[in-house]
């Protein structure tokens, strides 16, 4: 008998053979990145691990839909082995049980044949047991592959999604609040490696805000090892704010601020080969996130796609995910807010007007600091 871990994936299996092999290899590489000492082998639809496997890490690897610790024996050993396995796994405390069969390969028997055979074997060994296929107290899983058998009684849910990196790289604008780490995680789950970026608008933000963003990104390192926050400092807003006040256009401050952030993020993305930008904007959540203002913001990064996974989410949806992935506590930790926000920010800016003002700003001539 040999103990191993069985790794299951779902969406990968639906792909064409070339893509499936590529994504399987990406998943295997991600497992090895998390646990370098573990030996990995794969068959169609399954990945097997040997060695010092850490289930707490397996839960955070994108692409894994579930996993089980299994005991591996030869098929011809199963009749002698099964009662002892069940005894060690507490079947005597159960009143009902079910055998769940999976079979791969050519055999002279069906899965149902073996389920009945092994069920009768256990009923003879444990006379108090009754079969309940719908809601058993205990499930015993038997997976037969050619002349080998794998037994397990527990299936642990994984994070699912696609293997990290198969869809490329995105830049995530990270503020350190609740939403931005959530969207970074959501795009990781869809196969994107994330480059977190904090655009520090000098004079209006202090180090507490940057420190909070760094702590939040470190929470995301459980899902993407080695992830680091890049901080780019920019004095644009200090100059632009003065000009906007002088032009009685201070209500557009947040829009000019975010347009600048988008341009910095666009330059950073192009420089690093990223395929887009992801932001935590949700429709109507704050003044800059109305439909009218999102048109103004998107215009600033027209060279590269902008992804907004939370656009239709309620705030409670984002909070729920933040709690689940472990970023919530850091996101609500104390930090100073932005001091540039005007008393009455615009909610219905027109792109033509913003462009007209921007063309006249001296601050707009400042080079992007990337």
């Amino acid at each position: 008998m040999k103990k191993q871990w069985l790794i299951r994936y779902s969406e990968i299996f639906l792909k064409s053979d070339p893509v499936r092999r590529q994504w399987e290899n990406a998943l295997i590489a991600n497992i090895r990145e998390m646990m370098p000492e573990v030996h990995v082998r794969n068959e169609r639809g399954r990945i097997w691990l040997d060695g010092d496997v850490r289930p707490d890490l397996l839960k955070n690897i994108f692409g894994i839909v579930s996993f089980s610790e299994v005991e591996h024996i030869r098929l011809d050993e199963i009749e002698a082995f099964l009662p002892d396995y069940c005894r060690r796994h507490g079947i005597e405390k159960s009143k009902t049980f079910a055998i769940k069969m999976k079979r791969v390969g050519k055999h002279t028997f069906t899965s149902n044949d073996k389920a009945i055979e092994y069920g009768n074997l256990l009923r003879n060994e444990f006379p108090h047991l009754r079969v309940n296929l719908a809601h058993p107290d205990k499930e015993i899983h038997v997976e037969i592959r050619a002349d080998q058998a794998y037994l397990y009684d527990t299936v642990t849910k994984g994070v699912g999604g696609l293997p990290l990196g198969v869809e490329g790289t995105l830049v995530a604008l990270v503020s350190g609040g609740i939403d931005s780490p959530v969207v970074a995680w959501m795009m990781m789950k869809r196969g994107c490696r994330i480059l977190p970026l904090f655009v520090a608008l000098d004079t209006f933000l202090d180090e507490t805000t940057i420190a909070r963003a760094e702590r939040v990104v470190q929470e995301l390192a459980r899902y993407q090892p080695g992830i680091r926050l890049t901080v780019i400092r920019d004095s644009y807003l200090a100059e632009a704010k003065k000009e906007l006040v002088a032009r009685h256009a201070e209500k557009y401050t947040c829009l000019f601020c975010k347009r600048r952030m988008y341009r910095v993020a666009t330059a950073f993305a192009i420089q690093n080969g990223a395929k887009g930008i992801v932001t935590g904007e949700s429709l109507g959540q704050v003044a800059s996130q109305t439909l009218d203002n999102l048109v103004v913001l998107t215009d600033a990064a027209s060279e590269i796609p902008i992804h907004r996974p939370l656009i239709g989410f309620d705030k409670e949806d984002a909070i729920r995910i933040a709690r689940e992935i472990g970023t919530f506590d850091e996101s609500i930790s104390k930090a100073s807010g932005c001091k540039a926000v005007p008393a009455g920010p615009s909610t219905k800016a027109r792109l033509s007007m913003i462009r007209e003002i921007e063309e006249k700003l001296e601050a707009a001539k400042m080079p992007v600091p990337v």
Side-chain angles (χ1 to χ4, degrees):
M1 181 270 293
K2 182 179 182 182
K3 287 193 175 183
Q4 296 178 316
W5 289 81
L6 167 59
I7 308 300
R8 304 176 192 85
Y9 52 75
S10 57
E11 287 188 65
I12 299 174
F13 194 77
L14 302 176
K15 302 300 178 183
S16 65
D17 284 347
V19 174
R20 179 182 55 77
R21 286 192 294 270
Q22 179 185 353
W23 285 17
E24 275 183 348
N25 290 336
L27 177 53
I28 289 170
N30 291 340
I31 293 171
R32 286 174 172 153
E33 184 178 12
M34 287 275 199
M35 294 175 288
E37 302 304 317
V38 170
H39 178 262
V40 186
R41 67 180 178 86
N42 66 305
E43 302 175 36
R44 187 177 180 87
R46 292 289 189 265
I47 293 174
W48 307 90
L49 307 182
D50 296 289
D52 188 17
V53 174
R54 290 182 53 185
D56 59 316
L57 296 183
L58 289 179
K59 289 180 180 180
N60 297 335
I61 298 176
F62 295 110
I64 296 178
V65 69
S66 67
F67 57 89
S68 300
E69 186 176 25
V70 304
E71 296 192 20
H72 175 198
I73 57 174
R74 296 195 315 272
L75 178 57
D76 59 13
E77 298 174 317
I78 196 167
E79 286 81 3
F81 184 82
L82 183 59
D84 178 64
Y85 174 88
C86 292
R87 189 174 287 108
R88 286 187 286 107
H89 286 258
I91 201 168
E92 290 175 304
K93 298 177 183 178
S94 303
K95 294 181 180 180
T96 60
F97 79 106
I99 297 289
K100 302 293 185 179
M101 289 292 307
K102 182 175 179 63
R103 186 175 56 86
V104 178
K106 294 183 178 181
H107 300 94
T108 59
F109 52 82
T110 68
S111 296
N112 191 53
D113 292 337
K114 285 299 180 183
I116 294 171
E117 178 185 336
Y118 299 152
N120 289 335
L121 174 64
L122 292 182
R123 290 178 65 195
N124 290 334
E125 187 74 21
F126 307 102
H128 72 286
L129 287 177
R130 294 292 179 268
V131 174
N132 185 334
L133 299 180
H135 303 288
D137 297 332
K138 188 72 171 179
E139 285 188 352
I140 302 297
H141 297 260
V142 180
E143 185 158 326
I144 295 173
R145 288 180 167 255
D147 61 351
Q148 304 296 303
Y150 303 85
L151 280 68
Y152 57 92
D153 68 337
T154 302
V155 177
T156 302
K157 186 179 179 181
V159 71
L162 305 180
L164 192 66
V166 297
E167 289 291 349
T169 302
L170 291 176
V171 170
L173 278 169
V174 175
S175 66
I178 292 171
D179 297 338
S180 55
V182 167
V183 298
W185 180 89
M186 291 173 73
M187 298 310 284
M188 287 179 188
K189 187 175 180 179
R190 299 312 301 164
C192 301
R193 285 195 176 270
I194 296 297
L195 297 177
L197 175 64
F198 187 100
V199 182
L201 301 165
D202 288 341
T203 77
F204 294 111
L205 290 174
D206 63 23
E207 295 301 317
T208 65
T209 308
I210 298 174
R212 182 182 65 179
E214 288 175 336
R215 294 195 303 271
V216 166
V217 168
Q218 282 309 301
E219 293 297 325
L220 293 175
R222 289 179 297 181
Y223 305 95
Q224 181 180 314
I227 192 172
R228 293 289 184 272
L229 180 68
T230 296
V231 178
I232 296 178
R233 297 183 181 275
D234 187 17
S235 59
Y236 163 83
L237 188 59
E239 299 304 318
K241 177 85 169 178
K242 295 175 187 176
E243 295 187 62
L244 290 172
V245 170
R247 293 175 179 274
H248 305 289
E250 186 182 5
K251 66 179 181 179
Y252 300 121
T253 300
C254 293
L255 293 175
F256 280 97
C257 170
K258 282 200 161 184
R259 281 171 69 86
R260 180 67 169 189
M261 285 185 179
Y262 277 31
R263 288 182 173 127
V264 173
T266 298
F268 183 72
I270 292 171
Q271 184 182 78
N272 288 277
K275 297 179 179 179
I277 300 166
V278 59
T279 77
E281 288 150 335
S282 175
L283 187 60
Q285 189 174 127
V286 297
S288 65
Q289 295 174 20
T290 63
L291 276 180
D292 295 285
N293 286 349
L294 288 174
V295 171
V296 171
L297 297 181
T298 303
D299 171 71
S302 57
E303 295 178 70
I304 196 165
I306 296 176
H307 305 282
R308 299 182 174 99
L310 291 181
I311 195 68
F313 280 44
D314 294 336
K315 189 66 176 183
E316 287 303 315
D317 296 326
I319 290 173
R320 174 182 53 79
I321 297 173
R323 291 185 186 277
E324 290 173 357
I325 67 177
T327 58
F328 180 76
D329 288 344
E330 289 298 350
S331 289
I332 64 170
S333 61
K334 190 174 181 180
S336 299
C338 178
K339 300 178 179 63
V341 178
S346 171
T347 60
K348 290 185 177 293
R350 297 199 316 272
L351 178 58
S352 59
M353 179 183 293
I354 295 300
R355 284 177 170 175
E356 182 180 343
I357 295 173
E358 198 168 54
E359 287 174 1
K360 298 174 182 177
L361 292 182
E362 287 298 316
K365 300 176 184 177
M366 297 174 64
V368 174
V370 175

